[in-house]
Amino acid sequence: MDYQELEKYFRSLDRSFFVDGDMKKYAYLDEPLPIGYGQTISQPSLVLEMTRILATEKDSKVLEIGTGSGFQTAILAKMSAKVYTVERIEELMEKAKKRLETLGFSNIYYKIGDGSKGWPEYAPYDRIMVTAAAGVLPDELVDQLEVDGRMVIPIGPPDLQELKLITKTGDGDIHIENMGMVRFVELKGQYGWIE
Ligand code: SAM
């Protein structure tokens, strides 16, 4: 990954464009902010750190679970070839899609639905970014990860989770590394928390 390019784009991306109304004035704080429907846009430093850990390449095909505001999606789309993004809340997805189209992205594919099941039609993915917390690692997502691929996912109870880096080796073995403590909203759905 070109970390200099990542930081340059990250600094240039106006976070206030991804939140509504009253929240715009708080957009430059390094804090999560509400985006409606009980969901949040993550704190920017965490978005940057998770993108660094995911380490996309220019030719990466990326699956993102939890489009939310579209802020993380924009960064992934800038730093990879294609992004397949899944969001369960239709209203959030519509707003995110409009923002990302306004920014000129044409390498993002959108799906409204249960991302705990991934998006099997376009698997395998070189990278998988999950921005909502699962209780356990969903097998479906591991199955959709390419050999030598990387997945970043928060795992743990609703109040505090461990950020995990999952790598799949050439012989199909899974390696799990703990990257620190985080707090994310729940990944709802069949392989997440019950809705
Ligand atoms: N990365 C986003 C951003 O930059 O704004 C923030 C994501 S927010 C912390 C988590 C998102 O995951 C929410 O929008 C929530 O609706 C979504 N989500 C939760 N469970 C999901 C599921 N099973 N499938 C798809 N999206 C899900």
Side-chain angles (χ1 to χ4, degrees):
M1 162 169 253
D2 183 339
Y3 292 98
Q4 271 187 340
E5 187 190 357
L6 169 64
E7 280 185 33
K8 192 170 165 211
Y9 184 66
F10 176 79
R11 275 198 302 271
S12 74
L13 192 59
D14 184 357
R15 190 171 180 246
S16 73
F17 181 59
F18 293 85
V19 293
D20 294 327
D22 272 1
M23 285 304 125
K24 285 189 186 291
K25 62 176 178 285
Y26 302 114
Y28 307 107
L29 299 176
D30 192 26
E31 300 284 347
L33 295 174
I35 54 172
Y37 310 92
Q39 306 303 321
T40 52
I41 179 172
S42 304
Q43 74 196 74
S45 57
L46 182 57
V47 173
L48 181 61
E49 186 55 22
M50 287 173 70
T51 313
R52 281 200 193 109
I53 294 169
L54 194 69
T56 52
E57 298 297 343
K58 274 287 166 215
D59 60 352
S60 296
K61 182 167 126 187
V62 181
L63 174 66
E64 180 193 36
I65 307 302
T67 317
S69 68
F71 181 71
Q72 170 81 82
T73 320
I75 296 168
L76 293 173
K78 179 72 181 176
M79 301 304 298
S80 64
K82 286 180 182 178
V83 178
Y84 293 80
T85 187
V86 186
E87 170 57 56
R88 59 185 275 277
I89 300 174
E90 189 174 351
E91 293 84 348
L92 288 179
M93 179 58 106
E94 277 165 9
K95 278 199 222 179
K97 186 171 183 230
K98 209 177 276 178
R99 290 177 185 129
L100 293 161
E101 285 173 351
T102 304
L103 291 177
F105 286 106
S106 56
N107 61 338
I108 304 174
Y109 304 89
Y110 305 85
K111 180 179 176 171
I112 297 163
D114 178 6
S116 74
K117 297 191 273 193
W119 194 342
E121 289 82 352
Y122 297 100
Y125 301 95
D126 304 306
R127 300 287 185 271
I128 300 180
M129 174 71 94
V130 185
T131 63
V136 292
L137 179 61
D139 288 341
E140 298 290 308
L141 296 182
V142 175
D143 290 347
Q144 290 172 38
L145 186 63
E146 180 65 281
V147 166
D148 291 330
R150 296 163 77 86
M151 169 168 29
V152 173
I153 179 170
I155 307 263
D159 49 338
L160 197 62
Q161 306 95 29
E162 285 181 351
L163 187 66
K164 306 282 190 186
L165 168 62
I166 317 291
T167 44
K168 196 185 257 191
T169 61
D171 46 14
D173 282 350
I174 301 301
H175 182 252
I176 303 178
E177 205 175 324
N178 190 7
M179 306 304 288
M181 304 307 290
V182 288
R183 183 169 294 143
F184 272 89
V185 296
E186 292 174 18
L187 178 75
K188 304 276 191 190
Q190 192 172 341
Y191 299 98
W193 297 96
I194 294 162
E195 295 192 52

